Amino acid sequence: MPETPHTPYAQLDWDDHGQPLSRLYDDVYFSQENGLEETRYVFLANNELPDRFGALGDGEQLVIGETGFGTGLNFLCAWQLFEQQAAAGARLHFVSVEKYPLRQDDLQRALALWPELHPYADALVAQYVALHPGFQRLVFADGRVILTLLVGDARELLPQLDARIDAWFLDGFAPARNPEMWAPELFGELARLSAPGATFGTFTSAGVVRRGLKEVGFTVKRVPGQGKKWEVLKGQFEGASSNPTKPWFARPAWRPPHRSALVIGAGLAGCATANSLAKRGWQVTLLERHAGVAQEASGNPQGVLYLKLSAHGTALSRLILSGFGHTRRALERLHKGRDWDNCGVLQLAFDPKEAQRQAQLAAVFPEDLLINLDQASAEQRTGIQLPAGGLFYPEGGWVHPPALCELLADHPSIRLVTHQEAFELRHENNAWQAWNDDRLLASAAVVVLAGAAEIKRFQCSAELPLKRIRGQISRLPATPASAALRSVVCAEGYVAPARLGEHTLGASFDFDNDDLTPTSRDHAGNLHLLEALSTDLAARLDTHALAPEQMQGRAAFRCTSPDYLPIVGPLADGDAFSAAYAVLGKDARQVPDTPCPWLDGLYINSGHGSRGLITAPLCGELIAAWLNDEPLPVPRDVADACHPNRFALRRLIRNT
Ligand SMILES: Cc1cc2nc3c(=O)[nH]c(=O)nc-3n(C[C@H](O)[C@H](O)[C@H](O)COP(=O)(O)OP(=O)(O)OC[C@H]3O[C@@H](n4cnc5c(N)ncnc54)[C@H](O)[C@@H]3O)c2cc1C
Ligand SMILES: C[S@@+](CC[C@H](N)C(=O)[O-])C[C@H]1O[C@@H](n2cnc3c(N)ncnc32)[C@H](O)[C@@H]1O
């Protein structure tokens, strides 16, 4: 299991010309003479990007991989060239790995050196938030340009990447100053990730780089350098690509005849999926049985952006860290104070076991993600008296989920069809059809089931082990005294600072109740949760004067899987899967050569449990990456851990 990383930021010095230098490596980020020209020559021209961008047609993409994101100068130059050369419907993917990210203010200062890149630099700086260790996705120009930033050591993170790179920018400080990076493992990864014929450009001509690249199958050519650089290298991958994946988790080979998708369910999962596909030029029908988006679990007035992390780098913990960053960046487009607020979240250390868990987390995660606060500091941060200190997440906060759903569903290529409930799915003439008795509601080449636990009604997904858990929130009118609450406070329950004059208090958990009428019993339970959070806040909210029978609130179903990971990706035909891989029942180590019997064009985005705000938007990107042959936005083992086929596989292996 990969270690949970700890991100130190780049320590910079600034020279007399205002250029950044790395204190650790004692090296420059870009050429001191003319960084722009050098980038354009070494990385853009030597990879023949002007022509390759120009040759991209609508719907086509080019994937660049980079070692060492640094100030993002190479990325911005590539983006600018792409904007100048590529067709309107083409897309650029840029995957870069960075062990020591610059702080946002340093990045801004470094990029201010290049006035002609201002529009691109401003967009990067605006999205350069919540970049914590692991895979972080940033979306620009309405999805035309996508950056997947791997925050951590290239040797640790590149092996987790699932991508086909067309052009490499091999940057990353001179080999003499950074021998750890330019190691045989790195060259092996470059080969594994290269598309046939992938090219590279690099500023160095060091022997270790030439030999390393040749050994793994690149042709290497020395070409004249610029300025003080005598020569630089360019070349092409001519080796054999091998990217072995178990067939049940491999990318389906089937491609839709046209880019049309039917997404069933307009909660966070469906709206996010529709948005990620629409941004990539798909025509999307978003089908919803209610009058609008976000009427069920995604309809609460406030949800909390709270990260339940593990100190052991589990798949769920890494998904949460990537998802948090992605959602947090999407929220920048919403109205702060009304639709969301980054007021911070305090997780109370409510008993010794929780305090111990929190101490472990504080030891492995960066301080700008979470910090341990003693009681006095926690009270100062939250503005109210508390029973204990806890972990404070300064970038967390609350979100009005319907606003996020509306933002995501608002795209000219998304057609929202309301008041239509799909009872049955049929696959005919290469199209998925949604039927309501004998009425055809909609059809498309691809269908994405995003209806939470309701997807079990369809025969093809009936075996997925999804459970509903009823939850109820209570709405508490704000009082002058409750205005003191400055951040979200969580323990077993949660309470948020007021939105439009009301605090949301949540939430009950009930496995046995199917009735969504709010109950006074659950309101009373929520008031109990509030007492445990802060008796001071309960008093400020005058809760002793509140009768549970009179309280307002709403109930909905969470939808969870047995391993608490969402279920995201393509699905196989259950019976054919059991037949194809029956041998696993006898020997679980076998990897038969049999292709997976996919249900061509059928995808799932469900099971977001109690944290859909954090996982659902990124999982929309994951579905789009599966469908468009793009770099996955999460590590390969995280995508496998979320894969819909995992349950059928476990059933076979356990003979159940
Ligand atoms: C009380 C409560 C508190 C929560 N608090 C938080 C929190 O603080 N933070 C957090 O991150 N998460 C929280 N969650 C979880 C979060 O709300 C969910 O994870 C998220 O909303 C799930 O989104 P979804 O799109 O999968 O499901 P839903 O929002 O339930 O959307 C599914 C949609 O599909 C539609 N649909 C289903 N079947 C069909 C069909 N056959 N035809 C047409 N339409 C169909 C439904 O009508 C519905 O609109 C909470 C959930 C609850 C219930
Ligand atoms: C010369 S700078 C890159 C300049 C950058 N491409 C730009 O456009 O500004 C080299 C970068 O590589 C990063 N780096 C060095 N070793 C690394 C490693 N092992 N893994 C990931 N990044 C590394 C450094 O932190 C630094 O930001």
Side-chain angles (χ1 to χ4, degrees), residues 142-158:
D142 195 28
R144 186 164 145 77
V145 175
I146 291 180
L147 169 64
T148 306
L149 193 53
L150 314 187
V151 180
D153 195 310
R155 288 168 307 173
E156 189 191 337
L157 293 184
L158 286 180

Side-chain angles (χ1 to χ4, degrees), residues 21-175:
L21 303 158
S22 162
R23 205 173 291 165
L24 183 66
Y25 291 96
D26 189 22
D27 203 351
V28 295
Y29 276 79
F30 33 73
S31 146
Q32 292 187 332
E33 284 155 4
N34 191 344
L36 266 189
E37 256 174 41
E38 182 171 302
T39 284
R40 287 185 179 136
Y41 171 66
V42 174
F43 299 111
L44 306 187
N46 283 343
N47 274 303
E48 276 142 47
L49 291 184
D51 289 346
R52 291 168 81 186
F53 283 159
L56 288 176
D58 275 349
E60 293 185 331
Q61 59 187 352
L62 192 130
V63 185
I64 295 175
E66 181 187 52
T67 52
F69 185 72
T71 67
L73 175 65
N74 293 346
F75 166 62
L76 298 186
C77 285
W79 179 2
Q80 185 192 42
L81 180 69
F82 177 77
E83 222 34 88
Q84 290 160 353
Q85 304 290 332
R91 277 170 294 116
L92 171 64
H93 278 269
F94 198 96
V95 184
S96 188
V97 57
E98 178 51 61
K99 188 171 179 182
Y100 302 108
L102 270 67
R103 290 184 188 280
Q104 192 191 39
D105 53 350
D106 283 337
L107 186 96
Q108 192 166 17
R109 181 171 167 190
L111 292 176
L113 290 168
W114 320 111
E116 67 169 281
L117 294 175
H118 262 175
Y120 306 99
D122 286 351
L124 174 61
V125 171
Q127 284 281 290
Y128 198 83
V129 290
L131 289 169
H132 297 297
F135 282 41
Q136 298 292 341
R137 174 149 287 193
L138 291 78
V139 180
F140 301 100
D142 195 28
R144 186 164 145 77
V145 175
I146 291 180
L147 169 64
T148 306
L149 193 53
L150 314 187
V151 180
D153 195 310
R155 288 168 307 173
E156 189 191 337
L157 293 184
L158 286 180
Q160 300 178 29
L161 177 64
D162 185 318
R164 278 266 156 269
I165 305 292
D166 299 307
W168 288 103
F169 292 4
L170 303 182
D171 211 347
F173 295 136

Side-chain angles (χ1 to χ4, degrees), residues 181-529:
M181 191 189 87
W182 299 97
E185 299 91 307
L186 175 80
F187 299 116
E189 283 304 313
L190 300 182
R192 181 185 71 84
L193 291 163
S194 286
T199 56
F200 78 87
T202 182
F203 67 95
T204 175
S205 58
V208 62
V209 175
R210 290 199 313 269
R211 288 189 297 276
L213 287 167
K214 278 186 192 157
E215 257 162 42
V216 297
F218 285 89
T219 57
V220 177
K221 195 168 163 195
R222 300 174 199 221
V223 289
Q226 285 186 331
K228 288 187 199 145
K229 283 255 151 63
W230 182 247
E231 60 180 14
V232 297
L233 303 179
K234 63 187 258 188
Q236 197 157 357
F237 183 64
E238 293 186 350
S241 296
S242 83
N243 209 347
T245 317
K246 297 188 171 133
W248 43 83
F249 291 151
R251 291 182 186 243
W254 177 86
R255 286 288 157 263
H258 44 87
R259 291 188 294 164
S260 73
L262 167 61
V263 178
I264 302 182
L268 279 165
C271 293
T273 306
N275 184 271
S276 291
L277 291 175
K279 278 186 168 142
R280 287 156 172 89
W282 288 62
Q283 292 301 318
V284 184
T285 304
L286 180 57
L287 199 69
E288 171 54 53
R289 59 185 169 184
H290 296 298
V293 303
Q295 302 288 304
E296 300 210 356
S298 309
N300 286 342
Q302 288 174 304
V304 179
L305 267 191
Y306 159 60
L307 300 89
K308 188 139 201 254
L309 298 168
S310 153
H312 308 293
T314 59
L316 180 57
S317 189
R318 286 178 289 141
L319 175 70
I320 288 174
L321 210 48
S322 299
F324 171 66
H326 182 65
T327 297
R328 185 60 189 68
R329 290 184 282 278
L331 293 174
E332 296 284 325
R333 291 165 55 208
L334 286 177
H335 187 298
K336 201 154 129 182
R338 187 195 62 196
D339 296 337
W340 76 290
D341 199 8
N342 58 341
C343 55
V345 173
L346 180 81
Q347 172 69 20
L348 279 176
F350 49 83
D351 64 24
K353 206 169 147 213
E354 176 64 13
Q356 192 190 9
R357 196 184 72 85
Q358 294 190 359
Q360 286 170 353
L361 292 174
V364 292
F365 285 104
E367 277 194 0
D368 53 351
L369 175 66
L370 51 85
I371 38 170
N372 233 328
L373 296 182
D374 60 20
Q375 186 176 343
S377 317
E379 288 181 339
Q380 204 190 5
R381 277 286 172 109
T382 56
I384 56 167
Q385 289 169 31
L386 298 166
L391 266 194
F392 188 70
Y393 296 81
E395 297 168 323
W398 60 262
V399 181
H400 179 53
L404 182 54
C405 287
E406 276 155 26
L407 174 82
L408 292 167
D410 181 19
H411 192 287
S413 300
I414 299 176
R415 186 173 65 101
L416 175 66
V417 179
T418 56
H419 294 298
Q420 301 294 346
E421 178 159 4
F423 288 167
E424 193 197 339
L425 280 179
R426 291 185 205 156
H427 194 216
E428 275 172 29
N429 303 327
N430 260 330
W432 287 96
Q433 304 171 335
W435 288 81
N436 179 300
D437 291 332
D438 54 2
R439 255 183 336 117
L440 175 62
L441 303 179
S443 75
V446 163
V447 65
V448 184
L449 307 183
E454 294 292 329
I455 70 172
K456 282 176 72 71
R457 70 171 60 178
F458 303 121
Q459 202 202 338
C460 53
S461 45
E463 294 299 312
L464 291 173
L466 289 166
K467 274 218 169 66
R468 295 194 315 189
I469 307 175
R470 182 188 183 281
Q472 180 173 318
I473 57 99
S474 307
R475 295 162 48 179
L476 298 180
T479 64
S482 75
L485 179 65
R486 279 202 296 272
S487 49
V488 176
V489 182
C490 306
E492 305 257 315
Y494 59 83
V495 62
R499 167 183 182 270
L500 305 180
E502 273 182 0
H503 299 267
T504 300
L505 168 65
S508 62
F509 272 81
D510 193 336
F511 292 84
D512 301 320
N513 188 354
D514 274 352
D515 186 343
L516 289 179
T517 318
T519 67
S520 48
R521 197 188 69 159
D522 278 15
H523 284 315
N526 284 343
L527 289 178
H528 243 89
L529 295 175

